[in-house]
Amino acid sequence: MKKVHPSSVTTSGFFYKNPVLKIKEFLAFLSTRFGLIFALNMQSTILYYWVYHVTNNKISLGFVGLAEVIPAIGFSLIAGHYVDQSEKRKMVVRCLSGYLVTAIFLFAIALPLTEKKISISLLVGLIYFFVFIGGILRSFFSPSMFSLFGLVVPREHFPNATSWSSMSWQMGSVLGPLVAGVFIAFFGIAAGLFAVIIVLILIYFPLFHIKVKPILKREKEPILHSIKEGLKFVIQTPTLLAAQCLDMFSVLFGGAVALLPVYQKEILHVNEIGFGVLRAAPGIGALLTLGLLAFLPLKTNPGNKLFLCVTGFALSIIVFGISTNFYLSFAMLLLSGMLDAVSVVIRSTILQLVTPDAMRGRVSAVNTMFISSSNELGDFESGVMANWLGTVRAVVVGGCLTLGVIAFTFVKVPQLRNFTFDGKKEE
């Protein structure tokens, strides 16, 4: 029998390039992350569709995002302090339970008997309220998962693990809206929200395959001092601060997802399935890129690649804004997701590499504020701008503002341009 040389097994192949896939707890982490993102994206897609078709008002879409971003930002710094001083898996379990209770209430108000007995204004108000509760939960969940990531993955595997973590997130982002579109079209809003409940219950199974982790920060300190230390670290780390600001302003001005119900109904004239396909397009593009990164990991010039990808993202959003063809619009959203996936992996890896273990909760809480500001405030900004300028002008102007932010950051923060994953000193 022909013998296989050991070097051919240990220095090549899929699992050699992706060693984190041999870590059982990381696989459980991926399953948990995928399941929750799937459920929440499915839920948010249904809620955006529901609110717009009940109110027929563009700005009401913006208020959905605003209802989540206010608590997500307002509670983040406090959440980071408590996450650093708590057991991480227990915090994730508590957040998941909170999401489950919220999902049950949303399902209850979507039932025909309930919907017929309450006014439209009360219905929309209740939706905003439960989205607000979800924002509070998010402020605790995001830093808890970020901290848990650092406890199940060895530091030397952070770039590889970040790619797979991003892939699980994108898979949830893709499949959630697609499944939501199918449920809306064939089974109705209430059935879709009931499916969200089932998915949330199933997430407990992989989550409990992760062992209880040690608390790295045991010494107690005043909450204001703790929060101050987290903010101080982010502000005094130029690479981290610039990457977060670039993400925040790019998505704040360049995000167009919140206006997809308007494009579906008034510009592209497609049905609910078409809406789900458009909503999922960025995630599909991201999955394609992340799948490629599993075989061709990012290793060289991550800073320059970050700027190139964010620039391409802004340009694709501008073309999407002026498109009246469904296929071109889908292609541009697909391209935006492909480019954004690379920048997400780079930004997330920067965050993991530069953050001390004992500060992960607080630093991630600041990161949650940036993400919430970009995503949910971006939804609100899109709704207001569309109501003021018109839908197409709002998207195009947002894309142009994003290009301006990219140019400013490129010139002012050379540390980000010169960043490397190998820990070499920035120039």
Side-chain angles (χ1 to χ4, degrees):
M1 182 180 291
K2 184 179 179 181
K3 293 184 178 181
V4 179
H5 194 279
S7 63
S8 65
V9 177
T10 58
T11 61
S12 63
F14 180 76
F15 285 101
Y16 172 76
K17 294 180 179 179
N18 298 277
V20 291
L21 297 184
K22 297 180 181 179
I23 304 172
K24 291 183 180 180
E25 284 194 326
F26 181 66
L27 296 178
F29 175 91
L30 290 181
S31 299
T32 301
R33 184 167 169 79
F34 164 76
L36 190 64
I37 297 303
F38 172 86
L40 295 183
N41 272 271
M42 185 177 175
Q43 184 183 76
S44 66
T45 300
I46 294 171
L47 294 182
Y48 273 103
Y49 178 88
W50 192 10
V51 168
Y52 184 66
H53 282 262
V54 165
T55 64
N56 203 34
N57 185 356
K58 298 170 187 176
I59 202 167
S60 64
L61 296 172
F63 283 119
V64 176
L66 190 64
E68 183 173 3
V69 73
I70 291 174
I73 292 177
F75 285 85
S76 282
L77 295 179
I78 298 173
H81 166 76
Y82 285 109
V83 167
D84 274 339
Q85 297 187 343
S86 304
E87 198 280 307
K88 307 305 181 287
R89 194 193 70 171
K90 184 182 291 185
M91 289 294 294
V92 175
V93 171
R94 290 173 178 171
C95 293
L96 176 58
S97 300
Y99 278 124
L100 179 59
V101 171
T102 301
I104 291 171
F105 277 106
L106 284 169
F107 167 68
I109 64 175
L111 291 171
L113 285 175
T114 308
E115 198 171 5
K116 289 178 182 178
K117 292 182 179 180
I118 60 177
S119 64
I120 291 177
S121 60
L122 178 58
L123 173 66
V124 175
L126 287 171
I127 293 173
Y128 290 156
F129 172 75
F130 288 116
V131 170
F132 185 91
I133 298 299
I136 297 175
L137 293 170
R138 176 179 170 179
S139 69
F140 285 86
F141 177 79
S142 294
S144 297
M145 284 294 281
F146 177 82
S147 300
L148 191 60
F149 175 100
L151 295 173
V152 300
V153 179
R155 187 176 184 83
E156 63 269 21
H157 296 323
F158 278 178
N160 180 230
T162 299
S163 294
W164 283 100
S165 180
S166 298
M167 186 180 295
S168 69
W169 190 93
Q170 291 294 348
M171 284 183 68
S173 299
V174 170
L175 297 177
L178 280 176
V179 174
V182 171
F183 268 92
I184 291 171
F186 295 104
F187 305 106
I189 289 172
L193 292 175
F194 181 74
V196 170
I197 295 173
I198 300 301
V199 175
L200 290 173
I201 292 173
L202 293 175
I203 295 172
Y204 284 98
F205 292 97
L207 181 55
F208 282 116
H209 278 83
I210 300 175
K211 296 178 181 178
V212 172
K213 300 300 177 184
I215 301 173
L216 300 177
K217 181 180 173 56
R218 290 189 175 275
E219 65 275 11
K220 302 293 183 180
E221 61 182 344
I223 185 171
L224 292 180
H225 176 75
S226 176
I227 291 172
K228 179 182 175 182
E229 288 299 306
L231 284 170
K232 183 179 177 181
F233 176 81
V234 174
I235 293 172
Q236 293 182 350
T237 309
T239 301
L240 178 58
L241 181 62
Q244 301 301 73
C245 288
L246 186 63
D247 174 53
M248 180 180 74
F249 288 109
S250 295
V251 180
L252 177 64
F253 295 133
V257 171
L259 297 177
L260 284 181
V262 183
Y263 273 87
Q264 174 235 339
K265 187 175 182 180
E266 300 179 8
I267 298 174
L268 300 176
H269 306 291
V270 293
N271 59 19
E272 290 84 357
I273 299 296
F275 167 67
V277 169
L278 288 173
R279 178 65 174 76
I284 295 173
L287 273 179
L288 293 173
T289 299
L290 291 167
L292 183 62
L293 291 178
F295 295 93
L296 300 171
L298 284 168
K299 292 182 179 180
T300 60
N301 302 318
N304 286 327
K305 289 175 182 175
L306 174 62
F307 282 103
L308 285 173
C309 289
V310 180
T311 301
F313 169 83
L315 293 174
S316 64
I317 291 299
I318 291 173
V319 176
F320 166 78
I322 61 178
S323 170
T324 57
N325 180 277
F326 174 80
Y327 298 102
L328 177 60
S329 298
F330 174 81
M332 288 300 101
L333 289 175
L334 187 78
L335 179 61
S336 73
M338 295 178 72
L339 295 168
D340 188 51
V342 180
S343 63
V344 165
V345 170
I346 296 172
R347 291 194 306 266
S348 300
T349 305
I350 290 172
L351 186 64
Q352 288 286 354
L353 287 174
V354 304
T355 304
D357 289 336
M359 296 186 69
R360 287 186 176 277
R362 284 164 290 171
V363 173
S364 179
V366 177
N367 179 57
T368 299
M369 293 177 64
F370 279 97
I371 293 174
S372 298
S373 298
S374 60
N375 291 337
E376 281 69 38
L377 272 183
D379 291 345
F380 179 68
E381 178 268 343
S382 296
V384 172
M385 290 283 283
N387 196 59
W388 179 36
L389 297 175
T391 304
V392 174
R393 285 195 186 97
V395 174
V396 173
V397 169
C400 292
L401 288 173
T402 301
L403 290 175
V405 171
I406 295 166
F408 177 84
T409 308
F410 184 84
V411 173
K412 293 293 185 179
V413 191
Q415 295 96 328
L416 185 56
R417 295 200 310 264
N418 301 326
F419 181 81
T420 60
F421 289 155
D422 58 11
K424 291 179 180 179
K425 187 176 180 179
E426 299 162 354
E427 297 177 4

